[in-house]
Amino acid sequence: LNVAIMSPRRFFVGGNWKMNGDKKSLDDLITTLNTAALHDETEVVCGAPAIYLDFARSNLDPRIGVAAQNCYKVTKGAFTGEISPAMIKDCGVDWVILGHSERRHVFGESDELIGQKLAHALESDLSVIACIGEKLEEREAGTTEEVVYAQTQVIADNVKDWSKVVLAYEPVWAIGTGKTATPEQAQEVHEKLREWMRANISEAVADSVRIIYGGSVTGANCKELAAQSDVDGFLVGGASLKPEFVNIINARA
């Protein structure tokens, strides 16, 4: 019965450009996306470097969303080098990526800081792609579930309205390494995350929140991943800068 009445989750594909691109190459990419036949039922969001947020939002077709790749936890102030949700919104941008493994592991952002950023972004009416995921040694030690549940708990503690949140599961060992979690591995973690949400948040949130997969998603492996029942989309790194991003967006078409 539950399955029958479950709200269909809209497939979501995010492209995380990371620290890549210049106006010329991004203009080419934007032209490709604007002229491509994109599956109507898929929500698409591109994560641009802060300095190109305005450029991306001004040039991308309105059907494609734009995300900042990070933000700070307050509206304004003496925080050299940071950007706030208010500034992101002022550029016409509606999304932010928070807690990406590169923020956690390259820049040392703690769960606590990520939680504070998340709360402030949501209060500022930004939607958030919140990232979680285990490192290789954690997977090998068999603690994947513990790690991702703890990360998700911190996110849950800071969310009032789950309709503004997409959860991105990105096993750190699969990001940019060419190693992808098998469709079965991805499905297993996504399913367990949904069960955790059912037990710790609510049935309604568990059924409606999109849990997307990130970690070396390509045109070649996206269809098989998209066929998994608890994989509701992707957060794509390197491939989001290439024309194959269109194939990934259309993985469920």
Side-chain angles (χ1 to χ4, degrees), residues 123-159:
E123 279 159 18
S124 308
D125 203 33
L126 276 180
S127 294
V128 177
I129 300 167
C131 304
I132 58 172
E134 82 284 6
K135 294 191 276 200
L136 183 60
E137 56 268 30
E138 292 164 336
R139 175 161 280 266
E140 286 172 346
T143 59
T144 295
E145 284 165 53
E146 265 167 72
V147 170
V148 297
Y149 293 164
Q151 290 170 335
T152 308
Q153 182 67 63
V154 175
I155 291 165
D157 290 343
N158 288 286
V159 174

Side-chain angles (χ1 to χ4, degrees), residues 58-80:
S58 304
N59 290 288
L60 271 169
D61 189 286
R63 69 188 168 152
I64 299 171
V66 176
Q69 297 175 12
N70 189 24
C71 68
Y72 199 50
K73 62 181 180 179
V74 293
T75 310
K76 59 180 186 177
F79 302 102
T80 301

Side-chain angles (χ1 to χ4, degrees), residues 174-190:
I175 298 175
T177 57
K179 288 181 189 168
T180 314
T182 64
E184 295 72 27
Q185 283 174 318
Q187 169 59 23
E188 183 187 13
V189 177
H190 285 228

Side-chain angles (χ1 to χ4, degrees), residues 153 192-204 206:
Q153 182 67 63
K192 285 184 169 153
L193 278 166
R194 215 176 287 288
E195 283 166 15
W196 184 92
M197 293 175 105
R198 194 163 275 125
N200 294 278
I201 305 168
S202 76
E203 192 94 17

Side-chain angles (χ1 to χ4, degrees), residues 156-179:
D157 290 343
N158 288 286
V159 174
K160 293 189 183 78
D161 178 6
W162 279 94
S163 71
K164 315 267 301 180
V165 178
V166 170
L167 197 60
Y169 168 61
E170 298 201 292
V172 180
W173 48 272
I175 298 175
T177 57
K179 288 181 189 168

